[in-house]
Structures are given as C-alpha cells and as structure tokens.
Amino acid sequence: MPRATEQLRDERFARLVSEAAACHRCSMMCDRRPVLSEKNGPTNARILFIGEAPGRHGADQTRVPFSGDQSGRNFARLLASTGLERDRIFITNAVLCNPRKPSGANRRPTAREIANCSDFLRRQIETIDPTIVVTLGRVALAALGRIEYHRFSLREHVGRICHWNGRLLVPLYHPSPQVLISHRTEREQMRDYRAIGRALRSCGEDR
Ligand code: URA
C-alpha cells in the first residue's frame, strides 16, 4: 500500500495530538498532559520506538520521550551505538501520560491504562506507518499484542527481527537503570541493538 502523502499524515497526526490532549479515560491520570507532539519525532520516520510511559523527571517535564532522566541518557548511548540519529526516529510510549504512585514516584501503567491508550498507539503506528517497530521492554511488547496478537517474548526474541502486522519488529529491553543493573547489561543491550541496523539493511532503509 502506498504511504499516505505528507500532508495527509500531518493532518492525521495533528488530529491524534488534539484528541490525546482532550482524553480523560484514565481516572488516575486526568490531570496529566499526554506526551505526544511533533517533539516525538518526524512523522515520516521509517522507524518507531515504543517505551513504557513518560517518566516524571523525564518526558513528563521535557515533553520528549526518553529525555531528561537516567532512562533517557541510557537510551541515548544505546541509540548512538547504532549510528542512528534521533531526528530520524519517532519515539512514543505504551501510555502517553505519566503514571504515578500517591507518593509521586513513577509506577508501572495498569492493564486498564494500557488498554485505554491502545487505540492511540494503534493510530500512531498507522499514521507514522514505519517499516520497523522497536519495543523497549516488556510493557511495550505486550501493548503491541493488544493491537495485533503476537506470541513474542523478550526472553526468546530480544534482538531478533520478527514480523508483526506487516512490519518488522525488533523487541529490546527497556533502558532503565534497574534493567541495566539486574537483567541486561549495557554491553548485552548494545549487542541487542545491532538488530536495528540489520533490520534497516534488510529493507533498504539504511541510507
Ligand atoms: N521515558 C519514557 O519516555 N519512556 C519510558 O518508558 C521511560 C522513560
């Protein structure tokens, strides 16, 4: 199918941004601002990354996914190891708002919050129409499964090129400090990230 024209894509994206801004589906996040704007990346990106949720010291403040906090700094190093420039990728999250505990600390989004945001995620993927989707962590991988069922798991498919819903999918670990310390070292993650280059080359998008 031919890609939508630039103008149509930008119109669809603008609609998505304003609908997300007006969304009040999650009772515990009604006072949050969704992190979705032109700051997420170019709408003509060929590669789309999905994280878990905006962090309170990071994207919730900067309005740019994976920036301003330790996860963002880790992600920047891992991305740099692929040679891919940040301004060539689009980055979003499984949920667009920052989930917090009553104490104010970040928390995992609930299954209900992920379900509530799943239509926004599906529409972002359809609008950007990337050749390659990269999931960062278990929550992002599971969120894709709500859009089109899959049986991929991080344990079995990390750093492998999978086929999902007519696109290439590269499941990767989340770049949070906890994951780097206890599940997947930076060195292992850098090895996993090489799959992105292979995926780009396999579909001629590496130029
Ligand atoms: N920042 C994000 O935007 N997403 C995450 O998953 C973590 C930090």
Side-chain angles (χ1 to χ4, degrees):
M1 213 189 347
R3 293 191 87 194
T5 63
E6 202 96 348
Q7 189 189 348
L8 189 59
R9 200 165 47 232
D10 287 347
E11 281 168 14
R12 278 192 197 151
F13 185 69
R15 210 171 311 132
L16 206 46
V17 170
S18 67
E19 283 180 38
C23 175
H24 292 289
R25 265 179 241 172
C26 297
S27 57
M28 287 185 285
M29 299 202 281
C30 281
D31 56 346
R32 300 284 131 69
R33 269 171 70 209
V35 177
L36 185 66
S37 73
E38 77 289 345
K39 293 185 178 182
N40 290 54
T43 56
N44 64 359
R46 309 307 295 125
I47 176 157
L48 179 145
F49 286 74
I50 308 169
E52 181 173 313
R56 77 177 164 139
H57 292 307
D60 195 46
Q61 309 278 332
T62 63
R63 319 310 300 162
V64 181
F66 288 102
S67 77
D69 56 11
Q70 196 53 51
S71 293
R73 286 186 281 279
N74 294 343
F75 177 68
R77 284 197 309 282
L78 291 162
L79 185 70
S81 76
T82 68
L84 201 57
E85 305 281 341
R86 196 173 170 125
D87 61 8
R88 281 187 59 202
I89 66 175
F90 187 93
I91 319 180
T92 189
N93 284 295
V95 299
L96 293 174
C97 296
N98 168 236
R100 281 186 207 169
K101 295 180 182 166
S103 67
N106 288 331
R107 63 166 170 80
R108 278 251 148 88
T110 64
R112 167 59 72 91
E113 288 164 346
I114 293 168
N116 286 347
C117 225
S118 143
D119 202 48
F120 284 126
L121 182 60
R122 178 185 61 74
R123 288 171 60 198
Q124 286 172 84
I125 296 171
E126 286 174 2
T127 303
I128 306 298
D129 195 15
T131 313
I132 303 167
V133 174
V134 180
T135 50
L136 301 173
R138 176 168 76 68
V139 169
L141 187 58
L144 275 195
R146 299 194 67 93
I147 295 169
E148 178 77 22
Y149 182 73
H150 67 71
R151 300 176 64 114
F152 304 123
S153 69
L154 256 184
R155 195 141 59 101
E156 264 187 72
H157 298 93
V158 62
R160 286 172 54 180
I161 301 172
C162 307
H163 293 265
W164 173 81
N165 203 15
R167 308 179 197 278
L168 300 184
L169 165 66
V170 179
L172 296 174
Y173 277 86
H174 193 276
S176 75
Q178 298 92 307
V179 172
L180 265 113
I181 290 165
S182 53
H183 292 293
R184 200 81 170 168
T185 63
E186 181 150 341
R187 205 178 155 146
E188 288 170 323
Q189 291 215 35
M190 281 195 177
R191 208 167 45 223
D192 301 335
Y193 272 62
R194 288 192 211 144
I196 296 175
R198 290 198 298 278
L200 284 165
R201 283 190 293 281
S202 78
C203 52
E205 298 278 3
D206 54 329
R207 287 171 291 274

